[in-house]
Amino acid sequence: MPIESLQRTLHIRRKKNAHVFRNIARLQEIGEKAEAHQQILDQLHPWGDNPTLRFDNGLPKFLMLMGVISFLGMFVLPSFGFPFVLGLFCTIGLFFLAFILYETDDSIEEVIRYLEEKSIETRYGLKFGQVPDYLSSYARPALFIQQLINSFPFFDKGHDSNQISWYASATIKNDQDKAYPTFIFQYHYINRIEVIDGNGDKVTIRRIDKNLYGICIFETQTHALAVNNLGSQIGFPYEVRWNSSDIQISQQLAIYGIDQLQLVKTLNPALLLRLSDFFKSRKGELIFHSHQNMMCFLGDANLFEVSSKTREIRDISSLRGHLRTFRLKHYEQLCSDLGTFLK
């Protein structure tokens, strides 16, 4: 009977996808219990069950194809009558059945992102959604973030919006093994470029919607210094330009401070050399706060970008390979350079 055949097909499909749902639940539990990166990897091998991380959607795709054929077949039937009505109900029924049987990859992608984030936390020491313990006096992260935005002039790039919505806390060390509380973030801004038309009205000719990425380091000693290699000014209060006697540094960097005397005291040859080395491999802006012991760097390299040797995750083995080999290459490089730069 056709109905019995359909029931058997549905049962086989549910049985195939049941393995995937069990794997998703098991992966979620592994992430919740893991306290170290290696613990996650150890739990993924050996797996001991069907390791697939792909839903079987062959049946709903077939039903969708039959629905399309049924829909096209309606055009060769009379506009009215039983055959046309039957074709219409078959088309609707096939599309509806395909819709309710189709399994999207959202739940798989969600658990992979969760394990990836958990691996980043345990491997790199990043704590997402938290400010450094050093700033425990801030009861709400939003209060600290707003104060941070108000503390540095490069957070005013957006005419319509300036936001830090994705962030993490960490600790980095310099070459002498001194630890610095650190705040890593994604800065998103929206800006408009406007001109005045013939009627005197403002017309938007370009809208900029961009993400930049930065790192703030606390307990630093240098103050009132701003440096970039973007060929642009920093902004208030860093408005006094330093002209170095070193032609190469002058061509590479734009250095600003609050007053000339402070710049003379701060910019010794060793610091100038470290600044030159720091900016050789990146574009951005580095600012030391005028009176607080903190510095902040902002650039376009995505510090949260994950690079992996695994191109496609289709099963537990490829997932383990991804979690074992992935890197935050831009974050690693920045931390390495900061370790040399910070003294």
Side-chain angles (χ1 to χ4, degrees):
M1 294 292 291
I3 295 179
E4 293 178 352
S5 299
L6 179 61
Q7 288 175 336
R8 285 197 298 270
T9 303
L10 293 176
H11 175 73
I12 292 171
R13 179 187 169 277
R14 286 196 301 268
K15 187 176 180 180
K16 287 183 178 180
N17 286 339
H19 291 297
V20 183
F21 285 114
R22 286 200 302 270
N23 290 343
I24 292 172
R26 186 172 166 185
L27 290 173
Q28 183 73 28
E29 184 179 4
I30 289 173
E32 291 172 353
K33 293 182 178 179
E35 296 181 356
H37 181 229
Q38 189 60 44
Q39 287 182 357
I40 297 176
L41 299 180
D42 292 343
Q43 291 294 318
L44 297 181
H45 180 77
W47 189 250
D49 195 2
N50 188 328
T52 183
L53 285 176
R54 279 291 179 267
F55 287 117
D56 177 14
N57 282 313
L59 178 59
K61 290 179 180 178
F62 174 75
L63 294 174
M64 182 69 71
L65 176 62
M66 295 303 295
V68 172
I69 294 174
S70 177
F71 175 75
L72 295 176
M74 291 170 54
F75 291 98
V76 302
L77 297 174
S79 300
F80 299 99
F82 178 75
F84 180 85
V85 175
L86 180 61
L88 177 62
F89 276 103
C90 285
T91 300
I92 295 174
L94 288 168
F95 280 133
F96 177 74
L97 193 58
F99 174 75
I100 63 174
L101 291 178
Y102 188 84
E103 299 287 356
T104 68
D105 290 333
D106 292 349
S107 56
I108 297 175
E109 293 172 357
E110 183 178 341
V111 77
I112 290 175
R113 283 196 300 269
Y114 173 69
L115 282 177
E116 192 177 83
E117 185 175 303
K118 190 74 175 183
S119 296
I120 291 173
E121 290 181 351
T122 54
R123 180 177 174 182
Y124 289 95
L126 298 183
K127 300 177 182 178
F128 287 96
Q130 298 183 29
V131 300
D133 295 336
Y134 166 81
L135 303 167
S136 58
S137 58
Y138 289 91
R140 295 181 301 164
L143 181 63
F144 161 73
I145 291 172
Q146 189 56 52
Q147 181 169 329
L148 181 68
I149 290 176
N150 295 334
S151 298
F152 294 96
F154 51 40
F155 287 122
D156 63 352
K157 301 181 185 299
H159 179 275
D160 295 335
S161 176
N162 295 281
Q163 293 183 341
I164 293 177
S165 56
W166 194 16
Y167 55 88
S169 65
T171 300
I172 67 171
K173 295 182 178 180
N174 65 6
D175 291 346
Q176 287 76 44
D177 211 33
K178 179 182 178 180
Y180 293 87
T182 306
F183 181 75
I184 305 100
F185 59 88
Q186 173 186 284
Y187 165 55
H188 176 253
Y189 71 92
I190 301 175
N191 197 16
R192 291 177 294 167
I193 299 177
E194 299 177 331
V195 297
I196 305 298
D197 63 12
N199 298 323
D201 299 324
K202 289 184 178 181
V203 178
T204 300
I205 62 172
R206 186 182 177 190
R207 186 176 185 270
I208 302 173
D209 191 329
K210 189 173 182 178
N211 290 321
L212 296 175
Y213 300 85
I215 184 169
C216 282
I217 301 176
F218 304 90
E219 299 183 351
T220 57
Q221 301 303 316
T222 305
H223 295 117
L225 181 65
V227 186
N228 76 25
N229 59 351
L230 303 177
S232 60
Q233 294 184 347
I234 300 291
F236 180 83
Y238 306 92
E239 297 178 320
V240 177
R241 178 72 181 266
W242 168 265
N243 294 312
S244 174
S245 58
D246 188 315
I247 298 177
Q248 184 177 356
I249 290 179
S250 294
Q251 292 176 341
Q252 177 191 6
L253 304 176
I255 303 175
Y256 294 88
I258 294 178
D259 63 70
Q260 196 72 29
L261 180 60
Q262 179 70 27
L263 283 172
V264 171
K265 293 179 179 179
T266 302
L267 290 170
N268 56 65
L271 178 57
L272 285 172
L273 180 60
R274 297 204 308 272
L275 284 170
S276 177
D277 291 340
F278 178 76
F279 278 98
K280 277 182 180 178
S281 60
R282 61 182 49 84
K283 292 285 187 179
E285 303 170 84
L286 177 67
I287 298 180
F288 292 86
H289 198 273
S290 58
H291 57 275
Q292 297 184 33
N293 293 335
M294 58 187 294
M295 57 161 276
C296 195
F297 172 77
L298 185 68
D300 56 6
N302 186 352
L303 301 179
F304 299 108
E305 181 183 9
V306 173
S307 62
S308 174
K309 296 180 180 179
T310 304
R311 295 188 176 183
E312 188 176 8
I313 298 175
R314 302 187 63 88
D315 52 31
I316 299 299
S317 177
S318 57
L319 173 61
R320 186 178 187 276
H322 168 68
L323 296 178
R324 183 174 58 85
T325 61
F326 83 93
R327 294 176 53 205
L328 300 181
K329 59 180 181 179
H330 295 304
Y331 176 71
E332 286 182 8
Q333 184 62 54
L334 180 59
C335 287
S336 175
D337 292 345
L338 284 171
T340 303
F341 176 77
L342 294 169
K343 298 292 183 181

